Each structure stands twice: as structure tokens, then as C-alpha cells.
Amino acid sequence: LLCNTLRCLLPRREQWEALCADASLAAAAVEETLRYESSQVSWRRITTQPTTLGGVDLPAGTRLLLNFASANHEPGVFDDPETFDIHRADANRHISFGKGIHFCLGSNLARMEARIVLEVLSQRVPSLELVDDQELSFFPNITFRGPDELFVRWPS
């Protein structure tokens, strides 16, 4: 979440500078990152009973891949979903932490940790930027997304 947040914010200097000017935007920046570039992009599930999903009948035992990344960019839910915007009023409508009985129990801790990191970085190192031309690598799986490492610097 932290790497994805910095990957979204630092290249968009106007949004990073807005956060530096007003640290109270940190919580909104975290929510927008969760919507725009979620760390968890899918779940795998198996139906326990016959059901219909999107007009398709599924027997019990059907294997499903639920794609959060796609749902968090749904134009019927989010205006201009392909734009990262820390001022988005409804960013918290994302489903990056799941929903219902499958909602992540650690979501509040993850949000708080990311918010605090953003508040501190924005106030202490406002010149923070991504290292140019770094090649990001990602662990190869279909459930989680985030770089293995991310290099930043702060010019004087």
C-alpha cells in the first residue's frame, strides 16, 4: 500500500504538493490509492450452492476469480475512474478490503499506518520524489500487486 501510494502521488506533483500543504488530505490519498492502485486486486472463491451471477447460472463448486481492480475502476460507480484524484469525494466506495463477511479485519490498521506515513513524509520531506528510470519488479501472482522495492530520494 505504501509503495503504491507513493507511486501514485509523487509523479503527480500537484497532488503531492496539495498533501504537503494540507496533511489532512493523507486519509483521502490512501483511499484513492486503494481505489486506483489497490494492493489486492482479486480473490478466488468457490460457489457453495447454485447461484446466478450477472445473469449466468453457476452450479455449486464453480471456481471464480473476483477482480477488484476492475470493480474499483467501474465508470458506473466512479466519475472519471482512470484519473487518480486525492480530492475524489467517493473514493472510499472501493472494495479493496473486501465486503461483508469477507471484509479485512486489519483494514483500519492498514489505513492508519499509511495515513501516518504520508503525514510524516509530506511534512518532513516535501521534496520527496521517485528515483528516475527505475525498473519495478512485481511478485508474479494474480492476487496482490505492489513493487518488490521502490526507490525514492529527497533533493536538498
Side-chain angles (χ1 to χ4, degrees):
L1 175 57
L2 294 174
C3 286
N4 287 339
T5 301
L6 293 176
R7 284 179 53 226
C8 289
L9 274 172
L10 294 178
R12 296 168 176 90
R13 292 313 289 184
E14 72 287 348
Q15 294 196 48
W16 175 252
E17 289 168 7
L19 174 63
C20 292
D22 181 2
S24 71
L25 290 171
V30 170
E31 293 302 323
E32 179 64 353
T33 300
L34 287 164
R35 183 202 68 81
Y36 184 81
E37 191 73 38
S38 178
S39 303
Q40 182 167 7
V41 295
S42 65
W43 275 348
R44 290 169 285 177
R45 292 288 183 256
I46 299 173
T47 58
T48 58
Q49 60 189 14
T51 190
T52 301
L53 182 62
V56 177
D57 293 329
L58 304 171
T62 300
R63 295 176 184 272
L64 302 172
L65 178 69
L66 309 173
N67 188 319
F68 295 170
S70 177
N72 287 341
H73 287 252
E74 175 58 44
V77 177
F78 301 102
D79 290 335
D80 196 15
E82 298 309 315
T83 297
F84 180 84
D85 181 6
I86 65 172
H87 301 286
R88 184 182 301 275
D90 63 350
N92 65 352
R93 294 183 61 203
H94 65 79
I95 58 170
S96 296
F97 286 122
K99 189 162 176 73
I101 64 168
H102 296 287
F103 192 77
C104 175
L105 294 176
S107 65
N108 288 336
L109 180 59
R111 284 177 165 118
M112 181 183 69
E113 289 174 338
R115 178 185 51 79
I116 291 170
V117 167
L118 284 183
E119 289 170 353
V120 171
L121 287 176
S122 67
Q123 299 309 296
R124 293 195 181 173
V125 281
S127 64
L128 191 68
E129 59 188 33
L130 295 178
V131 169
D132 294 331
D133 301 322
Q134 61 182 298
E135 292 198 25
L136 300 177
S137 62
F138 296 82
F139 185 76
N141 70 59
I142 61 171
T143 302
F144 296 102
R145 178 179 53 210
D148 293 326
E149 58 189 6
L150 183 71
F151 295 103
V152 296
R153 65 176 173 222
W154 47 93
S156 53

